[in-house]
Amino acid sequence: MTDHPQAAGTFPAPDAATAPPPPAGTGGVVSPADTAPLTRIIRGALDRLRAFDRRRPRVWDAAVTAFWAVAAVLDYTSGGWRTVAHDDVTAPEALVLLMSLCFSLPLLWRRTHPMAVLLLMAPASLVNIWTGAVVQAALLQLIPVFQIVLRSSFRTVGAAAALFVAPVLAIGVRIPSTWGQQVVSYVWGLVFVVLLGIAVRTRREYTEALVERAHRLEHERDQQARLAAAAERTRIAREMHDIIGHNLSVITGLADGGAYAARKNPERAGQALETIGATSRQALSELRRLLGVLRDDHPEAERTPQPTLDELAPLIERVRRAGLPVHLELHGEPRPQSLTPGRQLTVYRVVQEALTNTLKHATPPATDRRPPEEPHQEPLSATVTLTYTHTHLDARITDTGNGGGPTPDTEETPPPAQGIMGMRERAALYDGTLEAGPLPDHGGWQIRLRLPLEDTHQ
């Protein structure tokens, strides 16, 4: 006999190994405070039976079959079947023994092929009632009927019920006096087993639905955790890119300008070195703050406010010191009450990234830049324009260089613009839009951010 998926998790009545498994997460054990001692003993015994059935289904099937076979043989040897047999019984004792075995031995396949078992028992049932022997083992037909109710369609259940009742109705027609004694009792037994099977099947399907729902919720929880972790990694990478990329670009520009000024103006070179030190310390401070927030063992990590639009002036000043002349233009009336800290941080980071890209990628290269005191000799410049309207804040950053060219060190085309992707992600968080590309009329590059104000974003 092969293993079968129904070998575990059925109901103990009328077959002790056919109860459904306990709900997921209970482990088959109920808290002592919730159950009486006798209930705990019974539940523990049933749990052990289910566990044994799951481990060794064939052994359990053989044990159940052997039990009922011995009971049927004992009924035959003790002559108990004669107490209910009809007076005109014509069955020889050997036939009674054969019928008893026909009702008990097929139970070995009751869970794998219940309908076949019932069909195998049907001739014995007809002979049993027609001869008037009325062997009590005939009631074992209710066991495969119960299994059919558990896992088959209602049409199959109806066919099984008809197969069980047909021999009884035949004897009722042959011997009308048996209606009250046998026909009614067989029918009531069938009704009880069918209702019990429906109840057990409903409970099992409900339990399986709960388990499936729990697994689905667990899977969705894990998926949400992975998505949240991925989003957090993206946010951290964006912040690291903005902090480190900008400050390193400023330091590179200052170093190039300082190297050029060292040959003609040592004092100016010293100022560049001082600015490099200040910029490096600021970068380290921001990086330490970001990493400190991420560490679990530092709950008291410093959480200083993120940059706002008030920090634009110092940002532009640092970029100017790095050798890039930047002009700031404001149009309209600023409405700080309509710009949340998150929106202000978005504008700040977009301006920072745009100016950083100009320092890193726009031509002429950084080695050709002149010191800040000679801006008229520097052909590369940038403009930051902030325009306030009633509904939006527009930030436009333009430069006069040719962005996207080869880098000065490797003479290779730079990798895909991760910074622009980060800016678009920041804008999308607040339903904003970001456009990046060359200026249409003349050489240069532009970044345009359009961000809705808070009181218009409902």
Side-chain angles (χ1 to χ4, degrees), residues 162-447:
L163 197 61
F164 175 78
V165 174
V168 182
L169 295 180
I171 191 61
V173 172
R174 179 174 176 244
I175 308 176
S177 61
T178 61
W179 277 95
Q181 180 182 0
Q182 293 176 351
V183 176
V184 175
S185 61
Y186 269 59
V187 171
W188 274 113
L190 175 65
V191 171
F192 173 78
V193 169
V194 169
L195 293 179
L196 179 62
I198 292 175
V200 174
R201 179 174 180 171
T202 302
R203 177 180 177 272
R204 185 178 65 182
E205 292 176 351
Y206 175 72
T207 302
E208 291 174 353
L210 290 180
V211 173
E212 181 183 358
R213 182 173 180 270
H215 290 166
R216 186 173 65 253
L217 291 176
E218 183 179 1
H219 176 73
E220 292 176 356
R221 181 199 64 191
D222 294 341
Q223 188 177 34
Q224 291 295 330
R226 288 192 296 269
L227 292 176
E232 187 65 12
R233 284 195 298 268
T234 302
R235 187 187 69 82
I236 294 171
R238 190 167 57 234
E239 292 292 333
M240 296 281 286
H241 175 274
D242 292 342
I243 293 172
I244 297 177
H246 168 74
N247 287 287
L248 286 181
S249 297
V250 172
I251 291 172
T252 301
L254 289 170
D256 293 338
Y260 176 82
R263 296 191 292 268
K264 295 183 178 181
N265 191 344
E267 181 181 356
R268 187 60 181 172
Q271 294 177 358
L273 291 176
E274 292 178 359
T275 306
I276 288 174
T279 304
S280 301
R281 285 190 292 272
Q282 180 183 1
L284 286 175
S285 176
E286 293 185 13
L287 186 60
R288 187 179 296 112
R289 175 179 59 82
L290 179 61
L291 296 179
V293 171
L294 297 177
R295 296 186 60 179
D296 295 336
D297 55 348
H298 284 72
E300 300 300 329
E302 182 183 3
R303 293 176 172 84
T304 57
Q306 292 277 37
T308 62
L309 292 182
D310 295 335
E311 307 292 329
L312 275 181
L315 169 66
I316 292 175
E317 182 61 28
R318 289 195 299 271
V319 175
R320 286 172 181 164
R321 292 181 182 178
L324 175 64
V326 182
H327 305 283
L328 177 62
E329 299 179 1
L330 298 177
H331 301 282
E333 182 180 355
R335 302 175 61 189
Q337 70 278 4
S338 298
L339 286 172
T340 60
R343 286 178 169 82
Q344 296 189 47
L345 175 63
T346 298
V347 176
Y348 178 90
R349 292 301 189 196
V350 167
V351 174
Q352 182 187 55
E353 179 63 23
L355 296 177
T356 300
N357 288 342
T358 300
L359 282 171
K360 291 168 59 178
H361 304 302
T363 57
T367 54
D368 292 338
R369 295 195 186 106
R370 301 296 187 265
E373 69 266 22
E374 302 178 5
H376 61 280
Q377 299 180 3
E378 177 57 65
L380 182 63
S381 63
T383 302
V384 178
T385 304
L386 299 181
T387 303
Y388 293 89
T389 67
H390 292 291
T391 59
H392 291 79
L393 169 61
D394 291 334
R396 186 168 179 261
I397 305 95
T398 61
D399 62 57
T400 58
N402 296 317
T407 58
D409 295 333
T410 63
E411 296 298 328
E412 296 177 355
T413 301
Q418 299 295 329
I420 294 179
M421 293 175 57
M423 288 189 285
R424 287 200 174 102
E425 291 173 356
R426 288 185 181 275
L429 289 176
Y430 299 98
D431 292 338
T433 59
L434 186 134
E435 300 175 357
L439 292 171
D441 298 333
H442 51 79
W445 191 267
Q446 73 169 347
I447 299 290

Side-chain angles (χ1 to χ4, degrees), residues 83-108:
T83 60
V84 292
H86 298 296
D87 296 335
D88 56 346
V89 59
T90 59
E93 293 190 0
L95 181 60
V96 174
L97 176 61
L98 179 62
M99 289 188 297
S100 300
L101 295 178
C102 287
F103 287 128
S104 57
L105 294 182
L107 294 178
L108 187 64

Side-chain angles (χ1 to χ4, degrees), residues 63-78:
V64 171
T65 302
F67 172 81
W68 289 116
V70 171
V73 172
L74 288 178
D75 180 64
Y76 161 74
T77 57
S78 63

